[in-house]
Amino acid sequence: MAYAYLFKYIIIGDTGVGKSCLLLQFTDKRFQPVHDLTIGVEFGARMITIDGKQIKLQIWDTAGQESFRSITRSYYRGAAGALLVYDITRRDTFNHLTTWLEDARQHSNSNMVIMLIGNKSDLESRREVKKEEGEAFAREHGLIFMETSAKTASNVEEAFINTAKEIYEKIQEGVFDINNEANGIKIGPQHPTTNSTLSSSQGSHQAGGGCC
Amino acid sequence: MTACSAACLPACVSSVWFVFPRSRTELDERPRPLSACLSRRGAASPCGGNRSHRPVEPRRRSAMLTRVKSAVANFMGGMMAGGNNGDHPGGSDLPLKYPYSRPEFLGLSPDEIECSADHVARPILILKETRRLPWSTGYAEVINAGKSTLNEDQACCEVLVVKRRPAGCSTPNRTSEDLTFHYWALFDGHAGSGAAVVAARLLHHHVALHLQEVMEILCSPGLLPPTCLGEEAASLRGAAGAPGSPSTPPTRFFTEKKVSHESLVIGAIENAFKDMDVQIEKEKSVYNISGGCTALVVVYLLGKLYVGNAGDSRAIIVRAGEVIPMSAEFTPESERQRLQFLAYMQPHLLGNEFTHLEFPRRVQRKEVGKRMLYRDFTMSGWAYKTIEDDDLKFPLIYGEGKKARVLATIGVTRGLGDHNLKVHDSNIYIKPFLSCCPEVRVYPLAQCEHGADDVLVLGTDGLWDVLSNQEVAEAVTCFLTNCDPDDQHRYTMAAQDLIMRARGVLKDRGWRIPNDRLGSGDDISVFIIPLAYGNKQS
Ligand SMILES: Nc1nc2c(ncn2[C@@H]2O[C@H](COP(=O)(O)OP(=O)(O)O)[C@@H](O)[C@H]2O)c(=O)[nH]1
Ligand SMILES: [Mg+2]
């Protein structure tokens, strides 16, 4: 599919907060309770529409383990948006946000839009972090905030799309230099041709079967 | 899992005489858009002039990078849209034999492949947690920093089962077992990804075909390969038969060279390379197979590792922390005398524009008549000669180290493909100087003991350009000793660590590794093969 813009996102946060599940819920609209541990980086992509324009989101899902930190750090570069995720049932994942944020700010471009996500909102009974705490943290650091559930899909679309809207607005305001690829934004191909025979045949060559 | 499937197949598919890991239908692929290659690997202009193929200067880099990036976007956009933009310079109207892809065992979707082609963040791709390669082999790769739109390295890892030829060809009452071999390969493409993609898909089938021809002999370790196959039955029976058997081999009146089983395998690998190269040349008329590639292959067969190398990738064994080199690079410098001799014997290959002699620098017109240092194909040392007009021509081999070029064009002297490669703006073909013949080295794996940290490391030149054998050995050993010996993924993690060390991190002045050394801006691919699995096998 042709797109007007391509935005690159990165998902960061401690191991087990639900980064990979959020990605899968957004790209595949399904929840897979047992997820393989992300080692290194995995990718997903989906097309969305903002303001009547097709926008392709390219999402990088990173490993949360400390041992991968030096590797995943280099992936902030060229990201237009970041989803910083914690688990509302695990206070330690909330406590680590400052470290993640410092890391992100230091290694990304200054315009990167950061969305703070308190995930697993379906587990109300096991909640350890109040919604107000998340809101306060976001306000203090200039982030957008949402609570989501990768399991019930609650707010998942919104989280990804609101981030895109924020980026889109920044483009309209001229904040982003869209010609600098280090900003994580690409303008779509100028002359998208449609050859349905070819595009349908490509689907069958897809390796691995997993659609992202 | 994917890669092992071949090993389980033959029992159920007895009609095949050897198993293709993937279906044959793969051979007819539909056309796909392939973007232009923006810079040729190792390409420089003849005469060192201000031609477009000069390596990119740092100042022009960012502009170049932007162009490369938009080319990626356009190509990928085109690919996703399924359209053939077909507007790339130097492109071909012919269909691709295989679409551009990443190694099959990574199991990446087109979207994932698109994401991975990021020259700014340069993500390190590794084998996913859910996937296993034979012997728990580790694998990691990273794309270049912008020198070409696509990652021109390719890799393959398979277990193949060679079955006996269809009945009727050979002694039908001998039931020899199937022959299983393990195969790993790295290909480093230049001037396009076509040849590397084709070689990654097909070279192992050529190896299998050639092994099949000699498999009965290979499966009879007690018998030397017969000199002449027509006499095979007699000599086999004669040697193995009861004493006093009437079919004693006839007495010979001349001495005969004894050829080992091992050298039959070496010959099979060498001929597989040759056949692969011929196939690429033939299919050039019906398919768009761009560029050329180096090839480094490892075959594990009957207790021995065979490492075949054509190009500048490298294989080393790290055993108890010690390095055992398993390949040597073929470069204009290492192959100077072969190339000079060829040019001396067939001067027309130089098209009257090059001289086969080597001088320490370009000869200037005003130096004609003076005496200058030179060397010919007969020499490894230097001597003086009186400069003539002919010596003003551009030298066949020019430049030093990584910048050394044959015919001012290519920096690697062995590999597959490149049949259409010419000196820029001329009709001089490079191919006659390139050889597709690998050097094959043998390691008697089963005869040696190996611990969990003893490995064979394969890497494309992106790795070895910035890390020495010793540094690689130390890094791998250090990494492996610090991880759980039962962790199946430790070799992939070690490969990722190696790539990280070679790629470095992006600083203001480009990719850097510790001590402010320059990181590799090239495509980098690494296999780490634990040798202890070979011991378990045999
Ligand atoms: N109940 C609930 N469980 C979740 C949710 N998101 C993820 N999980 C679970 O949390 C665990 C870790 O998820 P994963 O996506 O692998 O985390 P990651 O390490 O951040 O990628 C898995 O067992 C998921 O089933 C959610 O929204 N609700
Ligand atoms: Mg994960």
Side-chain angles (χ1 to χ4, degrees):
Chain A
M1 276 267 270
Y3 52 82
Y5 292 108
L6 185 150
F7 297 164
K8 177 182 153 184
Y9 282 12
I10 180 165
I11 314 184
I12 51 175
D14 281 4
T15 302
V17 297
K19 297 184 295 297
S20 300
C21 288
L22 282 166
L23 175 59
L24 193 68
Q25 183 59 259
F26 179 65
T27 56
D28 274 30
K29 297 190 168 42
R30 63 192 170 95
F31 177 69
Q32 190 180 310
V34 189
H35 211 281
D36 310 302
L37 197 65
T38 312
I39 49 173
V41 60
E42 285 174 13
F43 310 103
R46 207 188 106 180
M47 207 72 91
I48 60 169
T49 310
I50 291 177
D51 200 14
K53 292 205 168 60
Q54 292 277 33
I55 293 176
K56 182 163 190 172
L57 299 186
Q58 200 181 70
I59 304 144
W60 297 37
D61 171 25
T62 60
Q65 300 99 297
E66 185 60 41
S67 56
F68 286 98
R69 207 63 74 83
S70 68
I71 291 168
T72 52
R73 248 179 219 134
S74 57
Y75 303 149
Y76 291 109
R77 195 176 292 254
L83 305 189
L84 171 54
V85 188
Y86 68 93
D87 178 348
I88 63 153
T89 70
R90 275 168 57 205
R91 175 153 298 272
D92 58 320
T93 66
F94 182 75
N95 293 341
H96 295 154
L97 287 177
T98 332
T99 325
W100 282 110
L101 197 60
E102 273 168 17
D103 230 33
R105 290 255 154 90
Q106 195 184 336
H107 294 95
S108 67
N109 72 73
S110 52
N111 291 319
M112 184 169 80
V113 172
I114 304 176
M115 161 75 83
L116 180 66
I117 292 180
N119 188 41
K120 309 198 187 178
S121 62
D122 56 292
L123 299 176
E124 194 54 52
S125 57
R126 284 164 47 192
R127 181 189 280 275
E128 284 185 8
V129 184
K130 288 206 247 4
K131 189 173 180 189
E132 293 72 35
E133 292 176 87
E135 285 168 346
F137 186 93
R139 217 178 309 119
E140 188 184 335
H141 294 94
L143 318 174
I144 6 175
F145 174 69
M146 285 196 126
E147 282 197 347
T148 62
S149 166
K151 188 176 179 181
T152 67
S154 158
N155 270 346
V156 173
E157 290 273 314
E158 289 81 354
F160 283 86
I161 290 171
N162 290 354
T163 309
K165 280 184 182 156
E166 184 100 353
I167 297 166
Y168 186 76
E169 275 166 27
K170 281 197 174 186
I171 295 174
Q172 306 300 73
E173 291 162 10
V175 177
F176 271 119
D177 172 12
I178 49 173
N179 293 314
N180 180 355
E181 74 274 7
N183 280 330
I185 297 164
K186 285 183 210 161
I187 306 172
Q190 249 60 41
H191 309 289
T193 48
T194 40
N195 182 335
S196 53
T197 339
L198 206 66
S199 67
S200 62
S201 75
Q202 278 167 354
S204 60
H205 294 308
Q206 189 172 312
C211 166
C212 293
Chain B
M1 285 170 294
T2 345
C4 290
S5 60
C8 338
L9 272 172
C12 32
V13 275
S14 53
S15 62
V16 274
W17 37 275
F18 85 71
V19 176
F20 288 88
R22 288 272 170 262
S23 73
R24 264 296 203 181
T25 55
E26 218 182 28
L27 292 170
D28 29 57
E29 296 283 347
R30 270 161 236 82
R32 282 252 211 143
L34 178 70
S35 102
C37 95
L38 288 179
S39 70
R40 288 194 295 185
R41 170 165 181 267
S45 74
C47 321
N50 286 324
R51 295 252 178 81
S52 57
H53 282 135
R54 213 166 29 145
V56 186
E57 298 159 20
R59 246 178 305 117
R60 295 173 50 212
R61 244 187 113 85
S62 60
M64 182 67 170
L65 210 62
T66 312
R67 262 183 288 141
V68 167
K69 284 297 289 186
S70 67
V72 177
N74 286 340
F75 159 59
M76 290 303 181
M79 182 168 111
M80 292 312 133
N84 190 343
N85 37 16
D87 55 0
H88 47 271
S92 156
D93 291 335
L94 295 172
L96 291 173
K97 185 164 172 71
Y98 299 111
Y100 170 78
S101 175
R102 293 319 303 150
E104 206 171 297
F105 54 76
L106 288 180
L108 299 181
S109 69
D111 268 331
E112 290 174 299
I113 290 173
E114 180 187 359
C115 293
S116 74
D118 187 319
H119 301 271
V120 179
R122 297 181 75 195
I124 300 173
L125 303 190
I126 57 180
L127 199 64
K128 288 179 184 166
E129 252 257 309
T130 43
R131 291 179 173 256
R132 290 268 179 283
L133 288 178
W135 293 12
S136 289
T137 298
Y139 178 81
E141 63 169 51
V142 73
I143 197 165
N144 62 77
K147 76 164 194 177
S148 63
T149 310
L150 302 171
N151 183 341
E152 292 183 341
D153 284 0
Q154 293 292 338
C156 178
C157 176
E158 295 280 351
V159 178
L160 288 102
V161 178
V162 185
K163 294 215 133 211
R164 226 149 50 87
R165 267 170 200 278
C169 289
S170 174
T171 46
N173 51 351
R174 273 183 66 89
T175 49
S176 59
E177 332 100 77
D178 299 337
L179 195 58
T180 301
F181 72 95
H182 288 65
Y183 173 92
W184 298 261
L186 290 179
F187 306 90
D188 182 349
H190 49 257
S193 50
V197 169
V198 169
R201 298 274 193 123
L202 297 180
L203 180 56
H204 48 292
H205 298 311
H206 286 288
V207 173
L209 275 171
H210 281 281
L211 286 176
Q212 188 202 33
E213 271 185 31
V214 290
M215 68 173 288
E216 287 190 56
I217 302 163
L218 294 177
C219 291
S220 320
L223 298 166
L224 279 182
T227 298
C228 181
L229 280 184
E231 297 152 27
E232 172 190 22
S235 72
L236 282 177
R237 236 177 293 126
S245 135
S247 53
T248 318
T251 323
R252 305 224 183 260
F253 299 102
F254 44 87
T255 57
E256 235 179 62
K257 199 169 213 165
K258 287 193 171 63
V259 172
S260 65
H261 285 84
E262 189 176 294
S263 50
L264 275 189
V265 179
I266 296 174
I269 295 171
E270 288 165 338
N271 281 343
F273 272 64
K274 201 172 68 191
D275 285 0
M276 186 71 252
D277 198 47
V278 168
Q279 187 184 1
I280 291 173
E281 179 177 23
K282 279 193 187 144
E283 299 198 345
K284 273 244 153 88
S285 57
V286 277
Y287 292 110
N288 171 15
I289 305 176
S290 60
C293 67
T294 69
L296 173 63
V297 314
V298 176
V299 169
Y300 177 74
L301 177 73
L302 300 168
K304 287 179 179 164
L305 272 181
Y306 297 82
V307 180
N309 182 42
D312 58 1
S313 294
R314 187 184 298 170
I316 64 168
I317 283 174
V318 182
R319 196 175 67 192
E322 297 293 312
V323 173
I324 308 171
M326 288 304 296
S327 68
E329 286 87 76
F330 294 99
T331 65
E333 285 184 312
S334 72
E335 292 218 87
R336 175 183 56 85
Q337 282 169 285
R338 172 178 77 79
L339 301 169
Q340 285 183 311
F341 181 61
L342 177 61
Y344 167 78
M345 294 300 285
Q346 301 194 47
H348 68 274
L349 296 177
L350 299 178
N352 223 12
E353 284 194 37
F354 293 85
T355 166
H356 76 275
L357 295 180
E358 185 188 9
F359 300 95
R361 60 162 166 79
R362 285 302 306 277
V363 181
Q364 292 166 299
R365 177 151 293 283
K366 62 173 191 248
E367 289 167 330
V368 173
K370 293 185 179 159
R371 293 186 52 86
M372 189 183 265
L373 282 169
Y374 84 105
R375 54 181 173 174
D376 206 338
F377 68 89
T378 50
M379 310 164 69
S380 68
W382 295 79
Y384 288 94
K385 79 177 287 276
T386 305
I387 295 296
E388 304 158 39
D389 276 349
D390 243 19
D391 301 329
L392 291 170
K393 290 174 183 166
F394 200 84
L396 167 66
I397 291 156
Y398 190 67
E400 258 183 301
K402 283 306 280 184
K403 294 203 178 78
R405 297 282 178 272
V406 180
L407 296 168
T409 304
I410 189 164
V412 60
T413 53
R414 296 209 188 184
L416 306 165
D418 280 325
H419 299 89
N420 295 340
L421 185 61
K422 290 185 203 172
V423 175
H424 183 69
D425 248 359
S426 84
N427 247 329
I428 303 169
Y429 280 94
I430 310 291
K431 187 65 178 176
F433 292 95
L434 305 180
S435 163
C436 62
C437 173
E439 180 204 31
V440 183
R441 294 190 187 180
V442 186
Y443 178 73
L445 191 152
Q447 290 169 28
C448 313
E449 297 261 316
H450 298 98
D453 299 350
D454 294 337
V455 292
L456 173 62
V457 180
L458 311 182
T460 50
D461 64 336
L463 177 74
W464 308 102
D465 285 350
V466 294
L467 298 179
S468 67
N469 289 358
Q470 205 53 47
E471 285 172 313
V472 166
E474 277 162 23
V476 171
T477 306
C478 168
F479 189 92
L480 290 176
T481 47
N482 282 318
C483 49
D484 179 359
D486 296 325
D487 179 2
Q488 294 277 300
H489 239 70
R490 64 205 298 260
Y491 303 103
T492 282
M493 293 294 123
Q496 175 177 253
D497 179 65
L498 268 189
I499 301 256
M500 185 68 190
R501 284 170 188 266
R503 185 203 69 174
V505 293
L506 189 54
K507 300 254 173 83
D508 299 334
R509 289 159 11 269
W511 293 87
R512 296 280 156 169
I513 59 179
N515 303 323
D516 214 34
R517 282 157 67 193
L518 215 54
S520 170
D522 202 352
D523 300 314
I524 317 171
S525 308
V526 170
F527 271 124
I528 296 188
I529 306 167
L531 298 175
Y533 284 81
N535 292 106
K536 285 176 208 158
Q537 207 103 45
S538 34

